[in-house]
Amino acid sequence: QVQLVESGGGLGQAGGSLTLSCAASIRNFRNYAMGWFRQAPGKEREFVGQVTWDGAGTYRADSVKGRFAISRDNTKNTGYLQMSSLKPEDTALYYCAASTSFGVTEPTNYVYWGQGTQVTVSP
């Protein structure tokens, strides 16, 4: 059974850091690019960033460039979203997802999804 399980969410302070993890039980995990999305209450799901199959390349939304880093460890079947310089507007439910394509920002391009982990940033 395919599963993506996020962890590491919680309460952070503005200017602080949090790191999210995404543990994947996907056959041939390294065949998938991993993406991160977020959704705040009353808003649409928003693309945060993506990392290539081998972790060599990343693509991030303008809103998080310079603050968030995306990586993966294929030996552990795990992806990471390292968030720094947090802002209250980063508050959202964060999802990891897997796609067979890189450079795609629409949720419909992702075939597997986690259940999400909440990140709340206080001022």
PDB file of all heavy atoms in Angstrom, residues 57-71:
ATOM      1  N   GLY A  57      18.150  18.595  -8.022  1.00  0.00           N
ATOM      2  CA  GLY A  57      17.536  19.860  -8.413  1.00  0.00           C
ATOM      3  C   GLY A  57      16.280  20.146  -7.626  1.00  0.00           C
ATOM      4  O   GLY A  57      15.573  19.240  -7.182  1.00  0.00           O
ATOM      5  N   THR A  58      16.012  21.422  -7.423  1.00  0.00           N
ATOM      6  CA  THR A  58      14.786  21.828  -6.736  1.00  0.00           C
ATOM      7  C   THR A  58      14.120  22.968  -7.484  1.00  0.00           C
ATOM      8  O   THR A  58      14.760  23.695  -8.258  1.00  0.00           O
ATOM      9  CB  THR A  58      15.057  22.273  -5.286  1.00  0.00           C
ATOM     10  OG1 THR A  58      15.947  23.399  -5.295  1.00  0.00           O
ATOM     11  CG2 THR A  58      15.640  21.154  -4.458  1.00  0.00           C
ATOM     12  N   TYR A  59      12.851  23.112  -7.237  1.00  0.00           N
ATOM     13  CA  TYR A  59      12.056  24.196  -7.826  1.00  0.00           C
ATOM     14  C   TYR A  59      11.132  24.682  -6.725  1.00  0.00           C
ATOM     15  O   TYR A  59      10.374  23.893  -6.166  1.00  0.00           O
ATOM     16  CB  TYR A  59      11.271  23.664  -9.025  1.00  0.00           C
ATOM     17  CG  TYR A  59      10.333  24.655  -9.650  1.00  0.00           C
ATOM     18  CD1 TYR A  59      10.808  25.854 -10.165  1.00  0.00           C
ATOM     19  CD2 TYR A  59       8.966  24.398  -9.721  1.00  0.00           C
ATOM     20  CE1 TYR A  59       9.939  26.768 -10.738  1.00  0.00           C
ATOM     21  CE2 TYR A  59       8.097  25.297 -10.295  1.00  0.00           C
ATOM     22  CZ  TYR A  59       8.589  26.486 -10.810  1.00  0.00           C
ATOM     23  OH  TYR A  59       7.730  27.385 -11.378  1.00  0.00           O
ATOM     24  N   ARG A  60      11.210  25.963  -6.404  1.00  0.00           N
ATOM     25  CA  ARG A  60      10.431  26.496  -5.293  1.00  0.00           C
ATOM     26  C   ARG A  60       9.591  27.676  -5.721  1.00  0.00           C
ATOM     27  O   ARG A  60       9.951  28.437  -6.622  1.00  0.00           O
ATOM     28  CB  ARG A  60      11.375  26.917  -4.158  1.00  0.00           C
ATOM     29  CG  ARG A  60      12.039  25.764  -3.437  1.00  0.00           C
ATOM     30  CD  ARG A  60      13.202  26.255  -2.617  1.00  0.00           C
ATOM     31  NE  ARG A  60      14.299  26.701  -3.483  1.00  0.00           N
ATOM     32  CZ  ARG A  60      15.357  27.342  -3.064  1.00  0.00           C
ATOM     33  NH1 ARG A  60      15.487  27.651  -1.782  1.00  0.00           N
ATOM     34  NH2 ARG A  60      16.303  27.711  -3.895  1.00  0.00           N
ATOM     35  N   ALA A  61       8.490  27.838  -5.043  1.00  0.00           N
ATOM     36  CA  ALA A  61       7.634  28.995  -5.273  1.00  0.00           C
ATOM     37  C   ALA A  61       8.354  30.266  -4.833  1.00  0.00           C
ATOM     38  O   ALA A  61       9.179  30.246  -3.916  1.00  0.00           O
ATOM     39  CB  ALA A  61       6.332  28.829  -4.491  1.00  0.00           C
ATOM     40  N   ASP A  62       8.033  31.360  -5.487  1.00  0.00           N
ATOM     41  CA  ASP A  62       8.685  32.633  -5.160  1.00  0.00           C
ATOM     42  C   ASP A  62       8.482  33.015  -3.696  1.00  0.00           C
ATOM     43  O   ASP A  62       9.359  33.636  -3.079  1.00  0.00           O
ATOM     44  CB  ASP A  62       8.146  33.741  -6.063  1.00  0.00           C
ATOM     45  CG  ASP A  62       8.637  33.611  -7.492  1.00  0.00           C
ATOM     46  OD1 ASP A  62       9.633  32.891  -7.726  1.00  0.00           O
ATOM     47  OD2 ASP A  62       8.016  34.225  -8.384  1.00  0.00           O
ATOM     48  N   SER A  63       7.335  32.641  -3.150  1.00  0.00           N
ATOM     49  CA  SER A  63       7.010  33.034  -1.782  1.00  0.00           C
ATOM     50  C   SER A  63       7.929  32.393  -0.736  1.00  0.00           C
ATOM     51  O   SER A  63       7.993  32.867   0.399  1.00  0.00           O
ATOM     52  CB  SER A  63       5.554  32.681  -1.468  1.00  0.00           C
ATOM     53  OG  SER A  63       5.338  31.292  -1.627  1.00  0.00           O
ATOM     54  N   VAL A  64       8.631  31.325  -1.105  1.00  0.00           N
ATOM     55  CA  VAL A  64       9.477  30.634  -0.131  1.00  0.00           C
ATOM     56  C   VAL A  64      10.946  30.608  -0.529  1.00  0.00           C
ATOM     57  O   VAL A  64      11.788  30.107   0.232  1.00  0.00           O
ATOM     58  CB  VAL A  64       8.985  29.193   0.117  1.00  0.00           C
ATOM     59  CG1 VAL A  64       7.528  29.194   0.559  1.00  0.00           C
ATOM     60  CG2 VAL A  64       9.183  28.320  -1.112  1.00  0.00           C
ATOM     61  N   LYS A  65      11.270  31.121  -1.692  1.00  0.00           N
ATOM     62  CA  LYS A  65      12.671  31.135  -2.118  1.00  0.00           C
ATOM     63  C   LYS A  65      13.532  31.906  -1.126  1.00  0.00           C
ATOM     64  O   LYS A  65      13.146  32.962  -0.652  1.00  0.00           O
ATOM     65  CB  LYS A  65      12.795  31.770  -3.502  1.00  0.00           C
ATOM     66  CG  LYS A  65      12.478  30.827  -4.642  1.00  0.00           C
ATOM     67  CD  LYS A  65      12.654  31.523  -5.984  1.00  0.00           C
ATOM     68  CE  LYS A  65      12.299  30.581  -7.121  1.00  0.00           C
ATOM     69  NZ  LYS A  65      12.386  31.258  -8.438  1.00  0.00           N
ATOM     70  N   GLY A  66      14.684  31.331  -0.830  1.00  0.00           N
ATOM     71  CA  GLY A  66      15.577  31.962   0.127  1.00  0.00           C
ATOM     72  C   GLY A  66      15.249  31.646   1.566  1.00  0.00           C
ATOM     73  O   GLY A  66      16.024  31.970   2.469  1.00  0.00           O
ATOM     74  N   ARG A  67      14.097  31.012   1.807  1.00  0.00           N
ATOM     75  CA  ARG A  67      13.689  30.677   3.176  1.00  0.00           C
ATOM     76  C   ARG A  67      13.497  29.178   3.369  1.00  0.00           C
ATOM     77  O   ARG A  67      13.799  28.642   4.436  1.00  0.00           O
ATOM     78  CB  ARG A  67      12.387  31.388   3.536  1.00  0.00           C
ATOM     79  CG  ARG A  67      12.471  32.903   3.460  1.00  0.00           C
ATOM     80  CD  ARG A  67      11.246  33.556   4.064  1.00  0.00           C
ATOM     81  NE  ARG A  67      10.009  33.162   3.407  1.00  0.00           N
ATOM     82  CZ  ARG A  67       8.991  32.578   4.022  1.00  0.00           C
ATOM     83  NH1 ARG A  67       9.054  32.303   5.311  1.00  0.00           N
ATOM     84  NH2 ARG A  67       7.877  32.266   3.358  1.00  0.00           N
ATOM     85  N   PHE A  68      12.974  28.495   2.371  1.00  0.00           N
ATOM     86  CA  PHE A  68      12.681  27.066   2.462  1.00  0.00           C
ATOM     87  C   PHE A  68      13.638  26.288   1.564  1.00  0.00           C
ATOM     88  O   PHE A  68      13.951  26.722   0.454  1.00  0.00           O
ATOM     89  CB  PHE A  68      11.256  26.766   2.014  1.00  0.00           C
ATOM     90  CG  PHE A  68      10.172  27.266   2.932  1.00  0.00           C
ATOM     91  CD1 PHE A  68      10.436  28.115   3.997  1.00  0.00           C
ATOM     92  CD2 PHE A  68       8.857  26.868   2.722  1.00  0.00           C
ATOM     93  CE1 PHE A  68       9.436  28.572   4.831  1.00  0.00           C
ATOM     94  CE2 PHE A  68       7.841  27.311   3.551  1.00  0.00           C
ATOM     95  CZ  PHE A  68       8.130  28.169   4.609  1.00  0.00           C
ATOM     96  N   ALA A  69      14.068  25.144   2.055  1.00  0.00           N
ATOM     97  CA  ALA A  69      14.904  24.250   1.258  1.00  0.00           C
ATOM     98  C   ALA A  69      14.242  22.879   1.203  1.00  0.00           C
ATOM     99  O   ALA A  69      13.623  22.444   2.179  1.00  0.00           O
ATOM    100  CB  ALA A  69      16.286  24.131   1.875  1.00  0.00           C
ATOM    101  N   ILE A  70      14.394  22.243   0.060  1.00  0.00           N
ATOM    102  CA  ILE A  70      13.784  20.929  -0.149  1.00  0.00           C
ATOM    103  C   ILE A  70      14.878  19.929  -0.464  1.00  0.00           C
ATOM    104  O   ILE A  70      15.772  20.209  -1.273  1.00  0.00           O
ATOM    105  CB  ILE A  70      12.770  20.986  -1.298  1.00  0.00           C
ATOM    106  CG1 ILE A  70      11.679  22.012  -0.982  1.00  0.00           C
ATOM    107  CG2 ILE A  70      12.138  19.615  -1.548  1.00  0.00           C
ATOM    108  CD1 ILE A  70      10.751  22.283  -2.142  1.00  0.00           C
ATOM    109  N   SER A  71      14.783  18.769   0.142  1.00  0.00           N
ATOM    110  CA  SER A  71      15.789  17.739  -0.102  1.00  0.00           C
ATOM    111  C   SER A  71      15.143  16.366   0.067  1.00  0.00           C
ATOM    112  O   SER A  71      13.965  16.255   0.430  1.00  0.00           O
ATOM    113  CB  SER A  71      16.969  17.895   0.865  1.00  0.00           C
ATOM    114  OG  SER A  71      16.539  17.765   2.216  1.00  0.00           O
TER     115      SER A  71
END
